[in-house]
Amino acid sequence: PTPIRAAIVGYGNLGRSVERLVALQPDMELVGIFSRRDALDTDAPVFPVANAADHAGEIDVLFLCLGSATDIPEQAAGFAKLFTTVDTYDNHKLIPSHRTEMDAAARDGGNVAMISTGWDPGLFSINRTLAEALFPSAEQHTFWGPGLSQGHSDAIRRIPGVIRGVQYTVPREEALAAARTGGAEISGKDAHQRHGVVVADAADHDRIREAIVTMPDYFVGYETTVEFVSEDEFERDHQGMPHGGRVITSGDLAGSRSTVEFSLELERNPDFTGAAMVAYGRAAARMRAEGRVGAVTVLEVAPYLLSPASLDELIARDV
Ligand code: NDP
């Protein structure tokens, strides 16, 4: 069979991970990378994003490795008119309107727009739906971390005097136990604690700690700890992008109780998000080849379409 011709738009953390992961797929080849920048540190062909339309016939699936904050809302539909696309758009509240917009654009171009893949949204979404469907009355909780939160790290770095800073979100053990047993009310703020790691002059420590723990929206109401470290220690121990989390669902089944748990431990968030994106890219290309057009969410993709193995092989091996 002919390989799936893939391309990437946006060369940040996610774009770089997708590039490396596409190279490891038995059934994909990378046509090139579109970027707003002229020169990228890659051996792959780099195309100006403004010329994307010129490449429409050469690409089976385009990975939209763009930021969710502004890039995706501004640009994704334009790409969906030209290409079958995959994104990891993660603004949960706006996913329904993203779907409407991508559906119209993809239908216009005769393409598939695979939306909001990754792990949350993405693999967690599937697990929420799957586990919930098993129980007449499900109790469900999603926990994030231990992991690095980009938004909270940015908030810490904006405090005057902070030289370096990151924030880790950590699920609280008591809340995990309560979710597994069921029957307890757990709010988002009871479920997680927040840990800031900061480099700053000693004279600023007290003020910075106070600014963090009293920051509305981000930290107020959470159990928050702040740790000050040296520049060397920060450099050595806090450069990674670990993340993960779990979806815990439990409930009564006509007299007995069961618990379903799906968990992820990710040493590097963009590598795993990229892995999910690549698998959904394969599914998008296949669904398009079978005649599907429009927006598709992870809930609508049959699992075998994600795998490079054939359905017969998967049934013999995994069912
Ligand atoms: P980055 O900030 O690394 O990259 C975003 C864009 O910024 C790139 O596409 C790139 O565009 C531009 N860019 C990157 N580096 C530079 C640079 N040095 N100079 C100038 N521009 C640069 O974001 P990530 O790749 O880490 O994340 C992308 C999105 O993935 C996030 O917004 C998040 O929403 C989503 N995500 C989703 C998850 C899920 O589970 N669904 C999990 C994790 C992330 P260009 O090449 O055109 O300049």
Side-chain angles (χ1 to χ4, degrees):
T2 51
I4 295 168
R5 298 168 301 170
I8 293 167
V9 56
Y11 200 59
N13 298 309
L14 188 57
R16 282 192 290 271
S17 292
V18 168
E19 177 187 28
R20 290 195 299 267
L21 290 161
V22 164
L24 300 174
Q25 307 304 311
D27 57 346
M28 281 189 195
E29 63 185 27
L30 186 68
V31 176
I33 301 169
F34 295 98
S35 177
R36 287 163 284 200
R37 288 165 286 162
D38 306 331
L40 301 177
D41 183 18
T42 175
D43 297 330
V46 177
F47 310 122
V49 80
N51 298 354
D54 299 347
H55 299 269
E58 304 157 17
I59 291 161
D60 300 314
V61 61
L62 179 66
F63 293 103
L64 304 184
C65 299
L66 300 161
S68 286
T70 54
D71 290 345
I72 289 289
E74 287 169 7
Q75 301 174 33
F79 289 115
K81 277 191 189 152
L82 299 170
F83 304 95
T84 280
T85 60
V86 190
D87 69 57
T88 60
Y89 184 62
D90 67 356
N91 190 335
H92 290 263
K93 281 199 189 103
L94 296 180
I95 287 172
S97 56
H98 178 58
R99 176 172 174 243
T100 305
E101 207 189 327
M102 291 298 274
D103 190 60
R107 282 179 194 282
D108 201 14
N111 299 313
V112 164
M114 186 69 71
I115 65 158
S116 298
T117 72
W119 59 277
D120 195 2
L123 302 186
F124 274 17
S125 321
I126 296 174
N127 203 267
R128 283 189 283 262
T129 300
L130 176 64
E132 206 263 348
L134 304 175
F135 297 94
S137 178
E139 223 180 278
Q140 188 166 74
H141 300 280
T142 300
F143 294 88
W144 295 275
L148 182 92
S149 162
Q150 213 58 66
H152 287 78
S153 298
D154 288 343
I156 287 181
R157 288 192 287 260
R158 283 194 292 267
I159 297 171
V162 171
I163 299 167
R164 312 282 294 272
V166 288
Q167 195 262 197
Y168 299 100
T169 304
V170 185
R172 295 184 61 231
E173 285 302 327
E174 305 88 317
L176 290 173
R180 289 176 182 128
T181 320
E185 281 290 313
I186 308 169
S187 83
K189 290 186 177 179
D190 300 333
H192 299 93
Q193 59 200 56
R194 301 197 171 280
H195 183 64
V197 178
V198 174
V199 179
D201 290 340
D204 294 329
H205 286 187
D206 289 346
R207 178 182 54 79
I208 289 170
R209 186 190 312 273
E210 189 63 14
I212 293 172
V213 302
T214 59
M215 195 186 295
D217 303 328
Y218 286 88
F219 293 99
V220 169
Y222 287 94
E223 182 188 325
T224 300
T225 50
V226 182
E227 180 190 356
F228 291 93
V229 300
S230 69
E231 187 102 43
D232 287 349
E233 203 177 336
F234 191 93
E235 197 63 45
R236 188 188 67 216
D237 298 336
H238 300 286
Q239 297 306 307
M241 285 182 259
H243 221 313
R246 53 196 74 220
V247 178
I248 301 176
T249 312
S250 69
D252 180 81
L253 295 171
S256 67
R257 193 165 188 90
S258 294
T259 302
V260 181
E261 183 160 340
F262 179 74
S263 76
L264 294 175
E265 274 175 55
L266 316 176
E267 190 182 337
R268 205 168 167 276
N269 186 2
D271 288 347
F272 188 81
T273 304
M277 198 180 197
V278 167
Y280 278 94
R282 171 178 297 115
R286 286 181 174 173
M287 289 171 88
R288 177 65 201 93
E290 285 167 9
R292 177 83 177 239
V293 293
V296 179
T297 63
V298 295
L299 300 183
E300 300 161 80
V301 177
Y304 79 93
L305 292 170
L306 302 170
S307 170
S310 75
L311 179 58
D312 286 341
E313 234 175 297
L314 293 171
I315 290 171
R317 190 186 76 191
D318 296 339
V319 179

